[in-house]
Amino acid sequence: MGPPKSVPGPAVPQRKVDHAAGLGKDGPRTIQGAGKGKRVTARDPEAAVQSGDGLVVVGGGATNTADARSTDGAAPTAETALTPSGVKMPLDIGATLPTKWRRLNGAYQMAVVIERRPVPGGTDKDFEYYMHYEGSNRRMDEWVSASQFDLRAYEQDLKEGRKRKLEIHDPDEDHHGFDAEQLKEHDEHTKVKNIERIELGKYEMETWYFSPLPSEFKDCKKLYVAEYDLMFFRERWQMTRHLRKCTLQHPPGDEIYRNGNVAMFEIDGRKDRIYCQQLCYLAKLFLDHKTLFYDVDLFLFYVLCECDERGCHIVGYFSKEKKSEDGYNLACILMLPSYQRKGYGKFLISFSYELSKIEGKVGTPERPLSDLGQVSYRGYWTRCLLGVIQNHTGTISIKELSDKTSIKTEDIITTLQYLNLIQYQKGQHVVVAAPKVIEGHLKAAGSPGLVVDPGKIVWTAYSAERELLAYKN
C-alpha cells in the first residue's frame, strides 16, 4: 500500500507563549509517508541513500543478519559457516573471535559475543549472535550470523590455549552516581538493543541503544513512528491506518521561532504528556543515559523542525526543567541521525542560551557532560566568548562576559583556561590573548552552524504562578 497523501495546511502562526491560556490539545496527526519498494543499503555508516520510493536509509542499511541471508530468504545455517571440527556450536556468550564487520566493508574485526538467539526455523545449532566490536562504541553492536565468523582462527586460538578477552569500554557512556551493583544491573538490562531500526517520515534509521518501550513492542525489530504525534506501530499498515485519521502537520505546543524553513516548538510536559513521553522513548534509542524520566510534567521540551509544504518534520530537541535550582538551561539534547552534521546541534545549544538571555539569567547544561557533549559545548563557548572579546575595546571582566553571553562564570573560566587565554594576577582572572591567537582559536572551533536570529524568537518564560492561577480559574 502506498503512502497516504498529505493535505498541505497553512503555516502555524507564531504566537506568544501564554501558559495561563494553555497549549493546544489537538496532537499532530500526519506523517510524510513512504511506500514499499526496493531496500537500499549504505556502506558508509554516516551515509543516507534515497531509494526510488522516497525512503531514505540512514546508518548502513540492512543489518548484517539480513545481508547474510540468501536470495530466497533462507537464514544461513551453522554448516554454511564451514564450522571446523574443533569449534563447538553454538558459541558461548563471552567468546571472542574475528568477525566480518560491514562498517569495515566486510573486513574482520575482533568482537565478543554479548548475547545469542536461535534462528527461526533452523537447527538446534543455528544461532544469531549479538556482537560488540573491539574499540567501538556500544551503538555499533549488532546481530550477525555464524557465517560472518572466522571460525578457523578461533579454532587455532582454542588449540593453542589462547583466551582472548575483549574489554567493553564505551567512552560516551556516563553513569555518574552508579555504584558497581547498579552499573552491573544497568548493563545487564540494556546490553542488547531491543529495536534495530525505526521508520520516521521519509527516513529509515538504525537505532543505537536499548529503550524501555511498552511490552507490546517486545520482539519488534523495526518500529514505525508517526512523524507528528510520535505514536509507535509494529507494522506499516497500522501506521497508515492511523495516518488516515490525522490532520495536523506539526508538533503540539506553541511555535516560538520561525526563520525560513526552520521552526521551534515549545511543548509543556504536563499539558502534552503523551507526546513528551513518546519523545523520551524515541530519544532513548539514540542516547545511553542511565535513566529515562517518565515524569515529564516538570520539563519543557523544545522541538526543532524542518518545514515544507507537507508540514513540520522533527529534526531534534532539547529539554530543560521548568525550575532548575542549579541554573541548568538544558537537561537533554538529541539530534536524529538523519539530520546530523548539518549544524542543527549547534543551533539547539545556541537557542538554549538565547532563551536564558530573554530570562535575564545565566545558564549551563546539566552535568555531567559526556565526552561528545563537552566538545560541542566547548566549541560553542569558545566561539561565543572570543567573538565578544575580539569585538570589545579595552578591558573586560569575567562578570561582563557572563552578562553579555549568559554563560556561567565557571564555564567561562574553564574554557579560557583550556585555551590558555587566562591568568590569575593580583587576586583576579585576567584574559591575555593576542588578536592572532584569538583568530587561531576561532578557526579551530569551527563553524557556528545554523545561526539563531534572536529577533525572531517569540517567547515568554515559564511562570509557575501564572500556571497555578490558570489552574484555579
Side-chain angles (χ1 to χ4, degrees):
M1 180 178 293
K5 294 184 178 180
S6 177
V7 180
V12 182
Q14 291 186 343
R15 54 192 182 279
K16 194 172 184 179
V17 176
D18 186 355
H19 291 280
L23 302 180
K25 296 182 180 179
D26 292 326
R29 297 303 183 207
T30 62
I31 189 171
Q32 186 169 339
K36 297 180 180 178
K38 184 178 179 181
R39 191 176 187 81
V40 180
T41 64
R43 290 187 177 182
D44 185 344
E46 301 297 337
V49 182
Q50 185 156 356
S51 64
D53 63 357
L55 184 65
V56 180
V57 181
V58 178
T63 61
N64 274 345
T65 302
D67 290 341
R69 296 183 186 276
S70 62
T71 54
D72 61 1
T77 65
E79 286 72 23
T80 63
L82 299 177
T83 307
S85 58
V87 177
K88 182 181 178 181
M89 299 297 285
L91 297 179
D92 293 329
I93 293 175
T96 302
L97 70 165
T99 306
K100 285 184 180 180
W101 195 12
R102 62 194 169 90
R103 298 183 189 275
L104 294 179
N105 294 326
Y108 284 102
Q109 175 80 353
M110 291 302 296
V112 60
V113 177
I114 301 298
E115 190 56 88
R116 66 186 188 185
R117 66 188 180 191
V119 174
T123 69
D124 58 354
K125 293 184 179 180
D126 293 333
F127 278 74
E128 295 173 336
Y129 301 87
Y130 194 73
M131 308 299 294
H132 174 78
Y133 296 92
E134 183 177 25
S136 70
N137 187 284
R138 281 211 315 164
R139 65 173 176 263
M140 305 297 183
D141 297 357
E142 61 188 357
W143 289 100
V144 305
S145 65
S147 63
Q148 293 167 247
F149 296 144
D150 186 350
L151 293 176
R152 298 198 180 279
Y154 182 59
E155 180 188 36
Q156 190 66 26
D157 286 345
L158 295 177
K159 287 180 178 179
E160 297 178 3
R162 288 196 299 262
K163 291 185 178 181
R164 300 181 184 270
K165 187 175 181 180
L166 196 156
E167 183 178 354
I168 302 176
H169 173 67
D170 191 341
D172 289 340
E173 282 189 344
D174 191 359
H175 305 297
H176 179 76
F178 271 31
D179 58 31
E181 189 63 30
Q182 290 173 323
L183 183 58
K184 182 179 179 180
E185 182 180 358
H186 168 81
D187 289 342
E188 181 64 27
H189 283 88
T190 65
K191 64 181 181 181
V192 178
K193 51 190 172 187
N194 47 341
I195 302 294
E196 296 178 11
R197 314 178 72 80
I198 66 167
E199 185 175 313
L200 176 65
K202 66 178 181 179
Y203 292 102
E204 181 177 298
M205 294 168 269
E206 289 185 0
T207 61
W208 294 354
Y209 301 111
F210 173 89
S211 180
L213 293 165
S215 58
E216 58 263 32
F217 297 102
K218 183 180 180 182
D219 301 325
C220 177
K221 293 185 178 181
K222 182 176 178 180
L223 201 63
Y224 296 88
V225 185
E227 191 172 17
Y228 300 107
D229 58 4
L230 303 184
M231 298 303 292
F232 303 147
F233 302 92
R234 295 177 61 95
E235 304 290 344
R236 181 184 277 114
W237 68 265
Q238 295 173 329
M239 181 179 68
T240 303
R241 183 178 62 182
H242 172 75
L243 299 179
R244 294 196 187 103
K245 305 175 184 178
C246 300
T247 56
L248 291 184
Q249 297 178 301
H250 58 84
D254 294 280
E255 184 177 351
I256 61 173
Y257 181 85
R258 176 69 71 99
N259 188 5
N261 70 330
V262 175
M264 286 288 291
F265 290 82
E266 181 188 61
I267 305 167
D268 190 324
R270 186 184 70 82
K271 297 175 181 178
D272 291 288
R273 186 176 293 118
I274 292 179
Y275 178 90
C276 294
Q277 288 177 342
Q278 295 291 97
L279 182 59
C280 288
Y281 281 127
L282 177 64
K284 190 65 179 66
L285 292 169
F286 303 100
L287 298 173
D288 193 24
H289 288 176
K290 61 178 180 289
T291 56
L292 176 68
F293 290 101
Y294 297 96
D295 185 8
V296 295
D297 291 21
L298 303 179
F299 290 84
L300 295 169
F301 295 79
Y302 295 88
V303 178
L304 173 62
C305 295
E306 277 188 356
C307 305
D308 57 24
E309 68 280 357
R310 304 187 69 177
C312 300
H313 315 289
I314 181 171
V315 168
Y317 85 99
F318 73 88
S319 62
K320 72 172 184 175
E321 292 180 88
K322 293 177 178 178
K323 288 293 182 181
S324 174
E325 295 180 358
D326 299 305
Y328 296 142
N329 63 356
L330 185 145
C332 180
I333 184 172
L334 170 74
M335 287 305 307
L336 291 172
S338 51
Y339 294 97
Q340 290 179 359
R341 299 187 177 183
K342 294 184 178 181
Y344 286 132
K346 298 174 182 178
F347 177 90
L348 289 178
I349 292 175
S350 178
F351 200 91
S352 68
Y353 277 100
E354 292 299 333
L355 296 186
S356 294
K357 292 176 184 178
I358 295 175
E359 290 182 284
K361 300 178 180 178
V362 296
T364 188
E366 187 173 313
R367 298 303 198 278
L369 291 173
S370 66
D371 291 348
L372 294 177
Q374 184 67 50
V375 170
S376 299
Y377 267 94
R378 185 172 287 150
Y380 171 79
W381 292 331
T382 298
R383 290 187 297 271
C384 193
L385 295 172
L386 296 192
V388 173
I389 294 172
Q390 190 177 48
N391 297 322
H392 185 79
T393 303
T395 61
I396 187 170
S397 67
I398 300 296
K399 179 65 168 59
E400 288 173 320
L401 280 173
S402 181
D403 292 341
K404 287 179 177 290
T405 62
S406 286
I407 300 174
K408 200 172 182 179
T409 54
E410 289 85 346
D411 296 331
I412 295 176
I413 293 171
T414 56
T415 300
L416 295 179
Q417 286 176 337
Y418 176 79
L419 300 173
N420 294 318
L421 297 179
I422 193 170
Q423 298 179 4
Y424 195 71
Q425 299 178 358
K426 298 181 180 180
Q428 61 181 355
H429 290 94
V430 180
V431 178
V432 180
K436 288 187 177 180
V437 175
I438 292 178
E439 290 177 4
H441 285 306
L442 285 172
K443 185 177 181 180
S447 164
L450 185 65
V451 178
V452 179
D453 184 349
K456 296 187 176 180
I457 299 177
V458 182
W459 182 74
T460 300
Y462 171 80
S463 170
E465 293 78 12
R466 187 169 61 239
E467 185 173 19
L468 178 61
L469 181 60
Y471 175 78
K472 290 182 177 178
N473 292 336

